[in-house]
Amino acid sequence: MIVILLGMPGSGKGTQSKRLAEKYGFNHLATGDIFRGEIAAKTSIGEKAADYLKKGRLVPDAIVIEMVAGKIEKGSKYLLDGFPRTIEQAQGLAEMLKGVGSAVDLVVFLTLPKEEAIKRMASRRTCTKCGEVYNVTSRPPKADGVCDKCGSPVIQREDDSEATAAKRLMVFEDLTHPLVAYYKSEAAFHEVDAAQSPEAVEAALSAVIDSTKAAR
Ligand code: AMP
């Protein structure tokens, strides 16, 4: 089963994907996390991607598609988080899935007002090592600036700063939002209100996944 979670930055894609991957046994493929890992490890992909992440711009489609293609295996269940982000990436994904005898089964769009996304990004803090996500008001780490899970420093992502977050929302509207129309005609498509509590969002996503599984 191949599931795509779409949503603007701050809509909770990462948090929900981790929960759902654990619950359903999906391989969680988060391109943003992969790029941050490659940048930290100073690989050639990391070098190519670093400046785009810093500025809140999208890494060029060819680089992203090649990187994801190297990670898709026949017969595996994937939850795609942050990919595809453009129509060209969606077409690249369809091709690579065809190559392993598969296709997208479900696309869920997490909806959120822009003002709420900006607020969430401003209060988000992220572990520099394991990527665990915190919130300065609703879920701070137990010890200030230290990850509960792995003990590494917890910081504000450079691209969550106010100016870059605004840029990322513009990029979302221009390049990623068109995927909503694209997938409405291509695959099972649902919307879930991401302004609800994380538990309510998880329940709504689980219901959609369960009904898609039952219909297969
Ligand atoms: P995220 O963690 O999903 O918010 O992604 C952080 C950043 O990584 C984005 O602002 C982009 O610079 C880059 N990135 C992640 N996924 C993609 C993608 N599918 N296409 C292009 N750039 C991406």
Side-chain angles (χ1 to χ4, degrees):
M1 189 174 185
I2 311 287
V3 179
I4 297 174
L5 269 196
L6 279 180
M8 59 175 62
S11 61
K13 293 188 304 293
T15 302
Q16 293 297 334
S17 298
K18 281 184 199 135
R19 291 180 180 209
L20 296 169
E22 204 165 295
K23 184 168 173 183
Y24 290 95
F26 287 113
N27 289 311
H28 176 202
L29 218 158
T31 42
D33 289 348
I34 299 170
F35 281 128
R36 282 183 287 276
E38 300 278 348
I39 291 167
K42 299 187 166 39
T43 65
S44 70
I45 290 185
E47 245 167 57
K48 284 183 207 156
D51 202 44
Y52 294 100
L53 270 85
K54 198 171 168 181
K55 294 188 174 137
R57 296 175 56 203
L58 292 189
V59 177
D61 290 331
I63 298 175
V64 187
I65 291 169
E66 192 186 340
M67 182 181 82
V68 174
K71 298 187 187 295
I72 297 278
E73 283 168 19
K74 199 180 169 92
S76 292
K77 301 197 281 187
Y78 289 98
L79 181 55
L80 303 179
D81 159 11
F83 176 87
R85 261 177 154 100
T86 64
I87 300 282
E88 192 167 333
Q89 289 180 20
Q91 289 164 342
L93 173 65
E95 280 297 305
M96 64 180 97
L97 289 176
K98 210 163 139 193
V100 294
S102 183
V104 173
D105 295 287
L106 170 66
V107 179
V108 189
F109 179 37
L110 289 173
T111 60
L112 191 70
K114 201 171 150 189
E115 301 68 40
E116 182 60 25
I118 291 173
K119 254 204 275 178
R120 288 189 184 182
M121 279 189 272
S123 57
R124 176 159 67 184
R125 298 292 180 272
T126 310
C127 174
T128 47
K129 185 152 184 233
C130 72
E132 184 68 10
V133 174
Y134 298 91
N135 182 293
V136 281
T137 45
S138 61
R139 188 178 170 253
K142 290 191 186 92
D144 200 21
V146 180
C147 180
D148 298 350
K149 292 217 162 149
C150 73
S152 301
V154 170
I155 58 157
Q156 181 176 42
R157 268 169 51 181
E158 203 176 354
D159 60 348
D160 276 346
S161 67
E162 207 177 326
T164 312
K167 165 87 185 150
R168 288 163 68 207
L169 287 172
M170 275 167 52
V171 167
F172 174 82
E173 278 310 319
D174 287 350
L175 299 174
T176 308
H177 196 262
L179 287 176
V180 168
Y182 175 86
Y183 278 121
K184 269 186 179 163
S185 59
E186 288 282 319
F189 181 90
H190 292 267
E191 290 190 0
V192 165
D193 175 10
Q196 308 173 82
S197 70
E199 289 65 37
V201 175
E202 185 184 344
L205 287 168
S206 299
V208 169
I209 292 172
D210 290 339
S211 68
T212 306
K213 272 172 78 176
R216 285 178 87 215

